[in-house]
Amino acid sequence: MTQRQFLETANARLEYQFVQSEASTGPTLVLLHEGLGSLELWKDFPVQLAEVCNAPVLIYSRQGYGRSSPVPLPRSLDYLGVDGPDELDRVLDGLGLEQVVLVGHSDGASIALAYAARQDPRVRGVVVLAPHVDVEPASVEGVRRTVRAYTRGDLRERLHAYHGDNLDGAFRGWSETWLNPAFAAWNLYPELPRIRVPLLAIQGQEDEFATPAQLETIAREVGGPCQTVLLDHCRHFPQNQARPRVLALIVEFLATLPH
């Protein structure tokens, strides 16, 4: 594992880190974190992913998260479909990555899908965990529950350890956007048919932020090969709550990608 480094882009200073095993080969797996996530909040998942896949893994904190530059508020209502993918493009350019597989969770999954729709030839495949392609009542209620936990419980203190001075901006940028009535119209419907690379979409049956309709829409609308998996006894964090199964599914998926 390399030490944490910083990438200077035209818009921000972003923290990033590469994780790889001695036998790492093939495309780099680029991890895109959730709406309250960061480089550090992946914890030991990137290390295990690199080991079982024998592939290099890149993790980074998007602008406004972790130790990356702060982000101006309010966030654009297009931050998942435009801002996040634009930033990802700058990261791939800045680090000189030539072949990648995107692995996104929640908000990061939406960003991965939106970027795949751009048909960048560097993207060989996409894995999405707990993806959102539109705004469901379950999503809004899940955000409201998280806001209550943030204001009344210890969630704020726990997140501060990972985001530091970015905490309020990260939390408000996420929660205020999802709770904005105008955001209810957001979706990735136009983008899904433009996704032509192989796609693996994984969701927990008990996801507290979405229903299985997310997987159904993805399977129905994407323009390329697609596998969807709904995991029993799993909520919104499959990479933690069903890790052995998720790792096995990703290994199987990578083996199907054309060389």
Side-chain angles (χ1 to χ4, degrees), residues 66-89:
R67 304 303 185 254
S68 293
S69 299
V71 69
L73 295 178
R75 277 193 178 274
S76 163
L77 296 185
D78 287 333
Y79 82 101
L80 295 177
V82 177
D83 296 349
D86 284 351
E87 180 180 70
L88 173 58
D89 191 55

Side-chain angles (χ1 to χ4, degrees), residues 41-45 237-244 246:
L41 271 164
W42 286 106
K43 300 189 177 177
D44 61 344
F45 178 69
F237 288 80
Q239 70 272 23
N240 297 335
Q241 295 151 355
R243 181 171 296 179
V246 167

Side-chain angles (χ1 to χ4, degrees), residues 43-236:
K43 300 189 177 177
D44 61 344
F45 178 69
V47 172
Q48 291 191 15
L49 185 65
E51 289 176 351
V52 300
C53 296
N54 289 324
V57 174
L58 168 68
I59 45 178
Y60 73 95
S61 295
R62 296 193 296 276
Q63 184 179 1
Y65 295 94
R67 304 303 185 254
S68 293
S69 299
V71 69
L73 295 178
R75 277 193 178 274
S76 163
L77 296 185
D78 287 333
Y79 82 101
L80 295 177
V82 177
D83 296 349
D86 284 351
E87 180 180 70
L88 173 58
D89 191 55
R90 290 190 289 271
V91 169
L92 299 183
D93 286 347
L95 296 177
L97 298 181
E98 297 180 354
Q99 294 191 60
V100 301
V101 173
L102 305 179
V103 182
H105 172 232
S106 192
D107 271 19
S110 302
I111 292 169
L113 292 170
Y115 193 80
R118 299 184 177 189
Q119 300 181 3
D120 183 336
R122 292 176 292 190
V123 177
R124 300 278 306 282
V126 181
V127 178
V128 289
L129 309 170
H132 297 284
V133 297
D134 56 21
V135 180
E136 296 183 284
S139 310
V140 175
E141 183 52 40
V143 174
R144 286 179 177 144
R145 283 194 303 270
T146 307
V147 170
R148 290 194 292 270
Y150 185 79
T151 56
R152 302 175 186 174
D154 66 347
L155 179 60
R156 178 186 174 86
E157 181 178 346
R158 287 188 282 120
L159 287 174
H160 186 269
Y162 297 98
H163 296 293
D165 292 341
N166 270 333
L167 177 58
D168 284 335
F171 193 87
R172 289 182 53 206
W174 169 75
S175 61
E176 291 177 7
T177 301
W178 275 88
L179 296 179
N180 185 326
F183 190 66
W186 171 84
N187 62 70
L188 291 177
Y189 300 160
E191 286 82 1
L192 293 177
R194 297 200 295 267
I195 299 175
R196 305 292 171 81
V197 294
L199 171 64
L200 169 63
I202 302 171
Q203 185 180 9
Q205 176 74 55
E206 300 165 15
D207 190 330
E208 59 271 44
F209 289 90
T211 74
Q214 299 294 327
L215 294 188
E216 294 165 7
T217 301
I218 290 170
R220 184 177 64 248
E221 300 295 335
V222 294
C226 178
Q227 177 188 5
T228 62
V229 181
L230 190 63
L231 298 173
D232 291 332
H233 313 298
C234 178
R235 301 185 302 281
H236 190 60

